[in-house]
Amino acid sequence: MRPRTEEMASLSSKTLMDLYQPVAKRMKPNVTPICKSVTSQSNPDSDADTNDSPQSSILSVKQKSRIECNKLLAKSKRNMKICADRVSSWEGHAKLEDLLVEETWLEALPGEFQKPYAKNLGQFVGREICNGADAIYPPSHMIFNALNSTPFDRVKAVILGQDPYHGPGQAMGLSFSVPVGVKVPSSLVNIFKELKQDLGCSVPSHGNLEKWTSQGVLLLNAVLTVRKHQANSHAKKGWEQFTDAIIRTISQKKEGVVFLLWGNSAQEKSRLIDTTKHHILKAAHPSGLSANRGFFGCRHFSKTNQLLEQMGISPIDWEL
């Protein structure tokens, strides 16, 4: 009987092996694993926390920032197109309120255009545009370019200017900025010099600062229009009150904004800013007449980024 028992045991063992063999094959599918770093690079919106490498995380953050900036630049272009279309539909009567189209600012400044001073300002600017002998700068569709380019909820720094450049083709509705192809004004040349000294930024071949606006830098002049070749020709017509309202609204409704105030005119606006909630950086104006009296060496660009990072806010990429 013993050989019979061994034969049955052998048969049972062999049968069990046969049964388990197909299962083992099914549990080992021939699939190539997906690398996390490849996934992150192919999908810029993927969460940086899914990457094990610190370098991958940094790249992911930069990719997200670049995507967000491109979205805001595209929105700015759409806003400008809306304004241009509205200007083209004017028939001898300019409407200033038509030119602010960014919803976040309309919500932040409710009823501002209905105030008596704003109505008077609108009438004055309208007459200048439609009936004046001199050209008005910037072009009408760019008058509120600063607000239409930098949504209220994205503002994290403000650079204040005075009034627009008054030479042909210079003004584009952003303080200190000029379109690509236009000679860079001396004040902006000095800004670029300070940027190079402060952060090592290369000096660009143009003076278009739109890249800053898409990162939350509001480039605001105190006066938003000017006659050709007549500096301050639209001062004390109501613009100062309007831009005061903008600064006051930022101060009251936001926190942690860095204000860069260059020169006495800009520094007068500090009275509107709650310094318990915001940061103010003061220096001389970057013009050729005063840059050597305190603008050069102010290091406002690196200081702005330090303040933002201390508050957990992404810094500005000042490189153009």
Side-chain angles (χ1 to χ4, degrees), residues 29-45:
N30 186 20
V31 178
T32 303
I34 298 174
C35 177
K36 288 181 180 179
S37 61
V38 173
T39 303
S40 173
Q41 290 176 11
S42 64
N43 181 11
D45 287 326

Side-chain angles (χ1 to χ4, degrees), residues 165 170 176-178 182-192 207 286:
Y165 295 124
Q170 289 182 305
F176 297 103
S177 182
V178 294
V182 174
K183 182 181 177 181
V184 179
S186 61
S187 293
L188 190 51
V189 168
N190 290 334
I191 289 172
F192 291 157

Side-chain angles (χ1 to χ4, degrees), residues 2-178:
R2 186 171 180 177
R4 175 76 173 174
T5 303
E6 290 176 355
E7 184 180 348
M8 291 180 65
S10 176
L11 182 60
S12 299
S13 175
K14 187 174 182 180
T15 304
L16 288 172
M17 289 291 289
D18 290 340
L19 288 171
Y20 279 107
Q21 187 66 24
V23 176
K25 289 181 180 178
R26 288 196 300 268
M27 292 179 69
K28 294 181 180 179
N30 186 20
V31 178
T32 303
I34 298 174
C35 177
K36 288 181 180 179
S37 61
V38 173
T39 303
S40 173
Q41 290 176 11
S42 64
N43 181 11
D45 287 326
S46 62
D47 195 339
D49 291 339
T50 63
N51 294 306
D52 295 329
S53 166
Q55 185 177 3
S56 297
S57 297
I58 293 171
L59 286 172
S60 179
V61 170
K62 287 183 177 180
Q63 287 172 338
K64 288 180 180 179
S65 177
R66 193 181 306 116
I67 290 170
E68 192 60 33
C69 287
N70 288 337
K71 286 180 179 178
L72 287 176
L73 280 173
K75 185 178 183 182
S76 171
K77 298 300 182 185
R78 288 196 299 271
N79 284 343
M80 190 178 296
K81 176 68 165 55
I82 292 171
C83 291
D85 290 343
R86 291 183 177 183
V87 170
S88 65
S89 69
W90 287 347
E91 296 180 356
H93 180 63
K95 297 179 181 179
L96 197 59
E97 62 269 26
D98 282 354
L99 304 177
L100 179 56
V101 299
E102 171 53 44
E103 301 91 344
T104 58
W105 280 107
L106 292 171
E107 293 169 1
L109 299 167
E112 197 66 31
F113 285 108
Q114 280 66 55
K115 294 180 179 179
Y117 89 87
K119 290 183 177 181
N120 292 335
L121 171 64
Q123 292 170 2
F124 167 76
V125 174
R127 288 194 302 270
E128 290 279 287
I129 292 172
C130 295
N131 305 318
D134 297 305
I136 303 302
Y137 300 134
S140 297
H141 67 286
M142 290 184 171
I143 289 176
F144 291 119
N145 197 16
L147 304 181
N148 289 332
S149 295
T150 307
F152 175 75
D153 58 327
R154 299 304 179 96
V155 174
K156 51 188 177 183
V158 180
I159 298 179
L160 285 177
Q162 296 178 6
D163 68 338
Y165 295 124
H166 52 77
Q170 289 182 305
M172 55 184 296
L174 307 174
S175 62
F176 297 103
S177 182
V178 294

